[in-house]
Amino acid sequence: MAEVDYRKLEERLGRHHLEQRLRIQTHHVARLFGQGKVMIHLEHIRTLHKTIRGVLRAGGLYNRGRRNALAVRVHFNDLPCPDLPAAFDGFRILHISDPHIDGNPGLLEKLIQLVEPLEYDLCVITGDFREGTFEDYDTPALRMTQLAEHIKTDMYAILGNHDAIEMVPTLETGGIRILLNEHVMLESGGEKMVLAGVDDPHYYETDNLEKAFEGAPLNHFKLLLAHSPEICRKAAFAGVDLYLCGHTHAGQICLPGGHPLLTNCKCPRECHSGLWHFEEMIGYTSRGAGTSSVNVRFNCPPEITVHRLCRRT
Ligand SMILES: [Fe+2]
């Protein structure tokens, strides 16, 4: 695997943040129970994944689930943001989440085909580039840079609970800037907004809103990228205007009508998928482009999203 300069990462993240990330990554005993916001992490149990695949094959459903998983749709979504600066009215954000790009043969090609004709002003990726949680990180990072070659604008992203900190240098060399409790200023027509991103709040719990907004002007519109919706309350009370996230896959395997069996997420139910509000803050949880654990979907189509920000309510 690619050699990583940990000193550079430490300079950027701080010693405590890097140590927390690395120690949790190597804390194998904690893979199944404990850590993070939920007690059991089903994404780490390979025997369970094998059993689910076996049951689906026996029931003749596996191939249909595989086809569903690759039937990614582009979802066009208007996001009404009353406090949006006028110059950002109509600003379009391509939002990709949870590609798990090395877990689904054919998905990279499908995503390239989908993004090629799209028009947008910015691209954001809300984490979970990788399928596994503790092995090869080079392959998914390199595949994401292949996708990045087809993106026409600046790209900003955050890490999810499947991603290793060691992926950051490769992703950034490929043009995907990772926001590790950091922010940048976006500019359009002479006006500005804050774009901040936090490290994974779900499993690593290395999110830090205070640090992410440190030095940002207080009176500007604030857009936050977080892997899961689990810090929506903290973000709303920190003055975030718009919160983009993923992680839940909206259930991935759902009952007819899109009712999820599991979402692996500790937050209000309405935040599990699509558009939601928390106090004054507006949020959107992507259904995700990929799959996790078992590469099938039922009653829950995968998506990439083009959000159009608008001032009207
Ligand atoms: Fe996730």
Side-chain angles (χ1 to χ4, degrees), residues 187-235:
E187 204 169 337
S188 178
E191 294 195 271
K192 290 182 179 178
M193 72 159 78
V194 182
L195 168 65
V198 287
D199 198 6
D200 172 47
H202 176 74
Y203 184 68
Y204 289 95
E205 296 186 288
T206 37
D207 57 294
N208 187 332
L209 283 169
E210 181 86 28
K211 203 170 162 219
F213 285 108
E214 202 172 65
L218 289 176
N219 55 347
H220 282 55
F221 186 89
K222 291 180 183 64
L223 163 57
L224 178 71
L225 309 180
H227 178 55
S228 81
E230 287 161 314
I231 55 165
C232 60
R233 192 171 60 158
K234 281 199 287 186

Side-chain angles (χ1 to χ4, degrees), residues 54-273:
V55 169
L56 290 171
R57 277 200 181 99
L61 291 169
Y62 183 72
N63 287 338
R64 192 201 302 174
R66 290 284 304 116
R67 284 195 299 277
N68 293 343
L70 286 172
V72 187
R73 301 172 183 180
V74 182
H75 177 58
F76 293 92
N77 180 52
D78 277 358
L79 281 175
C81 307
D83 295 328
L84 190 71
F88 283 92
D89 196 19
F91 191 79
R92 295 153 304 178
I93 302 174
L94 171 60
H95 178 192
I96 300 171
S97 197
D98 305 272
H100 300 282
I101 200 75
D102 52 332
N104 220 343
L107 181 63
L108 174 62
E109 294 73 17
K110 177 73 185 180
L111 292 180
I112 290 171
Q113 180 202 341
L114 284 177
V115 300
E116 281 289 358
L118 294 177
E119 299 287 337
Y120 48 90
D121 304 294
L122 177 75
C123 176
V124 301
I125 310 177
T126 46
D128 275 2
F129 306 103
R130 178 167 71 164
E131 165 60 20
T133 48
F134 48 83
E135 59 282 273
D136 175 24
Y137 51 76
D138 281 339
T139 306
L142 287 168
R143 286 199 189 163
M144 287 309 298
T145 64
Q146 284 177 266
L147 177 60
E149 286 170 18
H150 298 265
I151 299 292
K152 306 172 194 92
T153 63
D154 288 342
M155 296 181 78
Y156 291 97
I158 47 170
L159 298 182
N161 58 303
H162 281 245
D163 300 321
I165 196 78
E166 287 87 348
M167 295 164 79
V168 172
T170 304
L171 291 168
E172 294 198 328
T173 303
I176 306 172
R177 164 81 195 272
I178 308 297
L179 296 171
L180 295 157
N181 300 327
E182 294 165 319
H183 74 268
V184 292
M185 298 301 293
L186 300 179
E187 204 169 337
S188 178
E191 294 195 271
K192 290 182 179 178
M193 72 159 78
V194 182
L195 168 65
V198 287
D199 198 6
D200 172 47
H202 176 74
Y203 184 68
Y204 289 95
E205 296 186 288
T206 37
D207 57 294
N208 187 332
L209 283 169
E210 181 86 28
K211 203 170 162 219
F213 285 108
E214 202 172 65
L218 289 176
N219 55 347
H220 282 55
F221 186 89
K222 291 180 183 64
L223 163 57
L224 178 71
L225 309 180
H227 178 55
S228 81
E230 287 161 314
I231 55 165
C232 60
R233 192 171 60 158
K234 281 199 287 186
F237 296 136
V240 169
D241 296 282
L242 173 60
Y243 184 123
L244 299 180
C245 60
H247 173 69
T248 64
H249 298 198
Q252 188 177 311
I253 297 177
C254 293
L255 298 171
H259 303 290
L261 300 174
L262 280 172
T263 54
N264 193 22
C265 191
K266 201 173 174 185
C267 66
R269 183 169 285 275
E270 56 272 24
C271 302
H272 286 182
S273 178

